[in-house]
Amino acid sequence: MGLHYRDRELCLGEKNFYPLFPLAKVRHAPFYAYDLDAMLSRVQALKSAAPKNLKTHYAMKANAAEPILRLFQEEGLGVDVVSGGEVRKALKAGFSARNIIFSGVGKTREEIQLAVSSELGQINVESPQELERIAATAKALKKKTRIAFRMNPDVDPKTHPYITTGFRENKFGMDESFLPKLRALLREHKDHLNLVGITMHIGSQIRELAPFSAAIRKTLAVYQSFLDEGHAMESFDVGGGLGIPYQENHEIPSKEISLLQEYGAMISQELGGLKGNILCEPGRVFVASSGTLVGEVQYVKETPYKNFLISDMGIHHLIRPALYQAYHRILPLLDHPQRSIKQYDIVGPICESSDVLGKNRDLPEIFAGEFLAVADAGAYGFTMASQYNEHELPEQLFFRAGREVR
Ligand SMILES: *Cc1c(COP(=O)(O)O)cnc(C)c1O
């Protein structure tokens, strides 16, 4: 993964190593840097372990930067999108409409119009009310729209409560009590709705495979029942949700590679006999550890209670720690093993007490003007960044095969 010291300089990369200090030295604001080769290696690890009929749709909300979208598009992936803006961005990046899956619990009329008129590969339906809206739109546009039902299998993936989505207390998907209503709507609108699959997505940052297996088994029964009723079911979509080891120093080859291989094998085992395609929608696991956020320590503020490193990075760049108490390793760009260890809270410039990137971190003593890297910031980093307090969005740098690409 991501970050390694070579001759005491922190480098990004797995195959090629990109020293971060020379990049930081010439910039006066925080920036993200990404290793595209590492992202590709994760896509390929899944591909080689999964059955041939697995079609991967990258969840672009994890990181929608154009060079990343292009990389995955060229690798033959589709995308999973959750807004009209993402639909347009995916089409612009070269994904064919047929390779776009539209997920999301609150699709507006305009978004559904865009999806139906663009003839997307699949709209994942989250409620009977949404299905009625899709049917009315398809009728008005004289289309027959490809849809899949998002089931809520009611499994608890034991991740952070804010990132579970397939538990009965979540707003996402539908349980079996919705099926009679869905069947009635399918019959009523049979000229405009084409049920092509069943989909699920149980949460994010899940590092055990048992919840996926349990959810697949529960949901497969629904798939089978629609198949038995004569619907031309083309695919079973297992969603996304694989996690990465944020807490650990990463090794090469990374643990995500082995997790992806085990995930591919689990899919083979659970869905090996499926008639049709298997779809999946990973986001985080492909991109998280291949990205880092780099910034400068502006002030070192020592109080009788705490030592603060006040950096120019904050929750406006990376909101995950504030939003889900997420842990990201934080490392100085230059290692100084001779310095004594001190404990710091690494905070940002934002006028909120939640503007904390790391609490109680033991680091070699740090001085103002030195640079820090926040590890594993490639997913849900820049895409969740904001301009709160009128700050500018950070620059993003992309590296592939030893050099910077745009
Ligand atoms: C967010 C999301 C994903 C991707 O989740 P990761 O945890 O990043 O893999 C996949 N499918 C749907 C429907 C999503 O909302």
Side-chain angles (χ1 to χ4, degrees):
M1 117 86 223
L3 299 174
H4 299 271
Y5 287 102
R6 310 191 97 209
D7 301 329
R8 299 192 179 165
E9 264 201 67
L10 196 66
C11 298
L12 176 71
E14 287 182 342
K15 239 190 310 183
N16 295 291
F17 297 96
Y18 309 99
L20 293 168
F21 183 69
L23 301 171
K25 212 168 44 179
V26 297
R27 285 182 170 73
H28 295 285
F31 62 92
Y32 277 95
Y34 305 104
D35 172 15
L36 299 186
D37 294 311
M39 295 180 184
L40 205 53
S41 71
R42 282 144 182 76
V43 171
Q44 288 164 348
L46 176 57
K47 198 184 216 169
S48 60
K52 290 283 165 284
N53 59 338
L54 180 85
K55 293 190 160 185
T56 301
H57 290 69
Y58 167 61
M60 69 184 270
K61 72 178 189 288
N63 191 324
E66 272 152 39
I68 297 173
L69 295 183
R70 253 183 281 124
L71 179 81
F72 290 162
Q73 193 269 326
E74 284 162 16
E75 186 61 20
L77 302 194
V79 272
D80 175 69
V81 305
V82 291
S83 73
E86 287 193 352
V87 172
R88 281 187 284 270
K89 192 162 186 183
L91 290 170
K92 197 164 155 230
F95 290 95
S96 71
R98 195 56 186 257
N99 285 334
I100 299 176
I101 295 176
F102 193 1
S103 301
V105 72
K107 303 178 196 79
T108 64
R109 282 184 196 83
E110 288 71 24
E111 288 174 325
I112 287 175
Q113 226 158 29
L114 175 65
V116 171
S117 61
S118 309
E119 303 186 1
L120 300 188
Q122 182 174 314
I123 304 179
N124 288 349
V125 179
E126 299 251 5
S127 67
Q129 293 78 7
E130 185 192 342
L131 187 59
E132 289 191 278
R133 202 177 250 193
I134 294 169
T137 309
K139 191 172 179 192
L141 295 171
K142 300 193 170 57
K143 300 272 189 194
K144 190 162 185 179
T145 296
R146 298 166 57 83
I147 55 160
F149 291 149
R150 175 159 175 191
M151 303 311 294
N152 183 330
D154 188 22
V155 297
D156 180 0
K158 306 246 179 326
T159 179
H160 190 279
Y162 284 7
I163 49 178
T164 62
T165 55
F167 196 34
R168 59 179 175 270
E169 294 182 14
N170 301 127
K171 69 180 174 185
F172 298 99
M174 301 177 280
D175 65 28
E176 297 201 8
S177 69
F178 286 83
L179 291 174
K181 178 78 182 156
L182 295 174
R183 288 197 161 94
L185 286 167
L186 277 182
R187 276 193 299 274
E188 185 183 341
H189 300 287
K190 62 180 186 317
D191 296 337
H192 300 289
L193 297 175
N194 182 11
L195 180 70
V196 297
I198 293 293
T199 176
M200 55 177 237
H201 171 68
I202 58 173
S204 202
Q205 184 53 18
I206 303 166
R207 296 191 59 221
E208 284 174 24
L209 298 179
F212 291 108
S213 294
I216 289 172
R217 285 177 197 176
K218 276 185 153 179
T219 310
L220 204 49
V222 179
Y223 184 84
Q224 190 59 44
S225 70
F226 282 105
L227 204 57
D228 294 343
E229 287 162 31
H231 291 280
M233 305 299 275
E234 293 176 21
S235 56
F236 185 92
D237 180 352
V238 300
L242 281 183
I244 71 144
Y246 284 102
Q247 308 275 345
E248 298 163 30
N249 280 325
H250 295 272
E251 304 141 19
I252 301 175
S254 135
K255 284 197 180 151
E256 290 131 67
I257 300 281
S258 48
L259 182 63
L260 280 160
Q261 287 165 343
E262 288 160 23
Y263 180 75
M266 180 277 293
I267 288 175
S268 284
Q269 185 163 11
E270 297 294 342
L271 293 169
L274 189 84
K275 284 199 209 81
N277 288 317
I278 307 164
L279 310 184
C280 67
E281 309 165 347
R284 182 192 312 274
V285 71
F286 285 163
V287 295
S289 67
S290 312
T292 182
L293 173 64
V294 177
E296 183 184 337
V297 175
Q298 304 294 311
Y299 303 99
V300 180
K301 188 170 178 178
E302 306 198 342
T303 78
Y305 311 102
K306 283 269 182 193
N307 301 318
F308 293 102
L309 297 179
I310 301 175
S311 81
D312 52 6
M313 304 176 281
I315 53 170
H316 52 318
H317 302 120
L318 183 67
I319 200 176
R320 299 189 66 258
L323 194 58
Y324 333 102
Q325 298 146 320
Y327 181 94
H328 285 263
R329 292 175 301 127
I330 298 175
L331 305 159
L333 292 202
L334 301 177
D335 193 17
H336 294 284
Q338 74 285 6
R339 291 190 191 168
S340 58
I341 300 292
K342 291 184 85 164
Q343 196 170 75
Y344 295 105
D345 279 10
I346 297 94
V347 301
I350 297 296
C351 301
E352 304 281 344
S353 295
S354 63
D355 185 20
V356 178
L357 294 172
K359 255 192 163 46
N360 302 328
R361 301 299 179 86
D362 289 331
L363 294 173
E365 186 170 13
I366 303 282
F367 297 95
E370 295 185 331
F371 297 100
L372 300 175
V374 182
D376 304 323
Y380 306 105
F382 187 87
T383 49
M384 284 192 178
S386 78
Q387 293 188 284
Y388 186 42
N389 292 181
E390 295 298 322
H391 286 288
E392 284 184 17
L393 290 174
E395 188 182 3
Q396 300 189 92
L397 309 175
F398 305 88
F399 295 90
R400 183 155 192 208
R403 63 170 75 135
E404 189 178 347
V405 295
R406 277 169 209 288

